[in-house]
């Protein structure tokens, strides 16, 4: 599996023979590959005006391009905001609640993300093909798809340590702009132009996987909630800045200064991997499997993540007590 930003043919349909050669080497003799573009065909076409675009079929004859549009900007942020507002309104009756839940379209975004990740996973697992995933910059929906596909395909990514490594590799090091995307959350009256809950959408999709496959993930919902909280407000440096360069170099006015995030802050991963902390996030039902986990994306299978979106208005006391009892029984058996 490969990931990248969009190619830059522009309106003059420029070629990059080095890129063509690079993608050619990713394919074995006689093999075909799939390019999954997370933009619509129209959006990709419009990107040519500003220098972007897509891979021309004539230059990449062994690659088949598939468009699977995923929202990544303001529509996704507005969907998140509407969902939070609906979940915070305790005065609604059932019909009104269901209507607002549908109108916010958050579950549609979850379904689209899982469907695209399953497509990438199927191309690799069943077609035994190489897959290149990209959108525009390659740091938003691209990472959403590649990270989810790895959780679906790779058992090591479903362990606690492997999952944290996946986050470091596919989100932190790959340059997801956390500072821009997670600036103010859904509760702020301000609407920063570049805010978008892509990382939350990923966590929600992983929660859907954990609900459909309760024995397959070593970690539980509490880890996902902790990651969500720390992406927006954290005492650790893991989610600071927008990329690796900024974590080393920042800007103060017109002067460049060293951020030194790794030297000046504590890593969230180091904290979570402490034995006393690690134990809090383990799934007592975990039973490792080498099988691929194929989630259902039928409407009946996609559910609202109540543990996150309703946690401030509904007590989790009984659920916590149930999990504690399950863990006690597992340890005593």
């Amino acid at each position: 599996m490969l990931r990248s930003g969009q190619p830059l043919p522009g309106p003059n349909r420029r070629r990059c023979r080095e890129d063509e050669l690079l993608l050619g080497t990713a394919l074995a003799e006689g093999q075909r590959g799939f390019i999954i573009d997370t933009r619509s065909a129209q959006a990709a076409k419009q990107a040519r005006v500003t220098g972007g675009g897509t891979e021309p079929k004539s230059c990449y004859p062994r690659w088949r391009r598939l468009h699977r549009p995923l929202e990544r900007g303001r529509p996704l942020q507005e969907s998140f905001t509407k969902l939070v507002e609906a979940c915070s309104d305790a005065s609604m009756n059932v019909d009104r609640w269901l209507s607002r839940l549908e109108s916010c379209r958050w579950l549609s975004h979850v379904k689209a993300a899982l469907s695209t990740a399953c497509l990438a996973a199927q191309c690799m697992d069943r077609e035994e093909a190489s897959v290149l995933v990209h959108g525009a910059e390659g740091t938003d929906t691209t990472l959403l798809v590649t990270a989810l596909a790895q959780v679906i395909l790779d058992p090591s990514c479903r362990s606690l340590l492997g999952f944290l490594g996946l986050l470091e590799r596919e989100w932190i090091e790959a340059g997801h702009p956390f500072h821009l995307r997670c600036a103010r959350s859904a509760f702020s009256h301000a609407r920063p132009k570049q805010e978008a809950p892509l990382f939350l959408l990923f966590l929600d999709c992983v929660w859907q996987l954990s609900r459909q496959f309760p024995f397959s993930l070593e970690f539980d919902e509490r880890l996902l909630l902790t990651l969500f909280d720390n992406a927006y407000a954290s005492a650790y440096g893991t989610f600071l800045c927008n990329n690796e360069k900024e974590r080393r170099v920042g800007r103060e006015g017109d002067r460049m200064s060293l951020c030194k995030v790794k030297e000046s802050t504590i890593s969230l991963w180091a904290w979570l991997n402490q034995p006393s902390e690690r134990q809090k996030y383990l799934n007592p039902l975990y039973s490792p499997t080498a099988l691929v986990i194929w989630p259902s994306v039928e409407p009946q299978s996609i559910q609202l993540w109540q543990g996150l979106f309703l946690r401030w208005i509904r007590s989790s006391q009984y659920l916590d007590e149930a999990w504690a009892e399950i863990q006690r029984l597992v340890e005593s058996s």
Side-chain angles (χ1 to χ4, degrees):
M1 179 177 286
L2 308 169
R3 50 174 162 75
S4 72
Q6 64 179 326
L8 304 176
N12 297 324
R13 299 182 181 273
R14 296 186 300 268
R15 294 182 63 178
C16 180
R17 298 187 185 278
E18 292 81 3
D19 186 65
E20 295 168 18
L21 178 62
L22 177 64
L23 289 189
T25 59
L27 302 177
E29 185 176 355
Q31 185 186 29
R32 295 179 63 84
F34 293 89
I35 298 173
I36 298 179
D37 195 325
T38 59
R39 304 166 295 176
S40 66
Q42 182 63 27
K45 185 177 180 179
Q46 291 174 346
R48 292 178 187 168
V49 178
T50 56
T54 58
E55 295 83 357
K57 292 182 180 180
S58 59
C59 302
Y60 299 84
R62 298 169 63 192
W63 291 86
R64 178 186 175 189
R65 189 173 67 250
L66 305 171
H67 288 278
R68 292 296 183 273
L70 298 175
E71 295 289 357
R72 71 183 186 102
R74 181 162 294 180
L76 187 62
Q77 178 66 16
E78 290 178 351
S79 176
F80 175 38
T81 301
K82 289 178 181 178
L83 177 58
V84 170
E85 290 173 349
C87 291
S88 302
D89 187 351
S91 64
M92 291 184 291
N93 58 31
V94 174
D95 291 339
R96 178 64 175 158
W97 158 249
L98 294 177
S99 176
R100 289 188 65 176
L101 180 61
E102 181 181 9
S103 65
C104 76
R105 300 192 66 250
W106 179 261
L107 297 183
S108 297
H109 297 310
V110 173
K111 178 183 184 299
L114 283 172
S115 298
T116 306
C118 285
L119 173 63
Q122 287 173 348
C123 290
M124 296 183 66
D125 183 66
R126 297 180 178 177
E127 301 292 332
E128 297 184 347
S130 295
V131 174
L132 168 65
V133 184
H134 71 65
E137 291 82 14
T139 56
D140 288 298
T141 52
T142 299
L143 307 183
L144 173 65
V145 173
T146 58
L148 282 175
Q150 290 177 67
V151 176
I152 291 170
L153 289 171
D154 188 353
S156 68
C157 293
R158 302 194 287 266
S159 70
L160 177 58
L161 187 61
F163 184 67
L164 298 183
L166 174 73
L167 298 182
E168 179 70 21
R169 180 177 68 251
E170 295 297 315
W171 289 91
I172 307 296
E173 294 178 353
H176 179 65
F178 281 96
H179 178 69
L180 291 175
R181 301 292 185 261
C182 303
R184 297 178 182 271
S185 83
F187 294 96
S188 172
H189 293 294
R191 294 289 183 266
K193 184 178 180 181
Q194 299 192 61
E195 180 123 2
L198 269 301
F199 187 62
L200 167 59
L201 182 58
F202 167 73
L203 296 177
D204 197 328
C205 290
V206 174
W207 178 82
Q208 304 288 338
L209 292 173
S210 71
R211 190 188 60 79
Q212 293 188 28
F213 301 94
F215 304 103
S216 297
L217 277 66
E218 187 182 19
F219 49 89
D220 65 12
E221 179 185 56
R222 283 169 289 191
L223 176 69
L224 302 178
L225 293 173
T226 298
L227 292 170
F228 165 76
D229 291 339
N230 280 272
Y232 282 92
S234 180
Y236 307 94
T238 301
F239 296 114
L240 290 179
C241 304
N242 292 310
N243 51 54
E244 286 295 286
K245 180 180 179 181
E246 287 188 11
R247 292 183 185 99
R248 294 181 174 87
V249 181
R251 184 178 293 277
E252 293 181 357
D254 294 327
R255 250 181 343 107
M256 299 300 292
S257 64
L258 295 179
C259 271
K260 297 182 179 179
V261 168
K262 292 184 179 180
E263 294 85 352
S264 304
T265 65
I266 299 174
S267 168
L268 177 62
W269 311 148
W271 177 262
L272 293 176
N273 279 313
Q274 293 182 111
S276 59
E277 287 297 313
R278 174 186 171 87
Q279 192 64 31
K280 298 177 183 177
Y281 305 107
L282 294 180
N283 173 14
L285 301 178
Y286 178 57
S287 179
T289 175
L291 299 176
V292 176
I293 54 174
W294 296 111
S296 169
V297 293
E298 294 298 320
Q300 302 91 330
S301 301
I302 307 298
Q303 295 188 11
L304 178 68
W305 184 6
Q306 298 183 31
L308 172 65
F309 294 110
L310 299 180
R311 65 171 165 165
W312 292 284
I313 62 174
R314 194 187 68 175
S315 173
S316 63
Q317 174 187 351
Y318 299 115
L319 183 61
D320 293 339
E321 291 175 352
W323 274 107
E325 180 64 16
I326 290 173
Q327 190 164 14
R328 187 189 68 79
L329 293 173
V330 170
E331 291 174 350
S332 62
S333 62

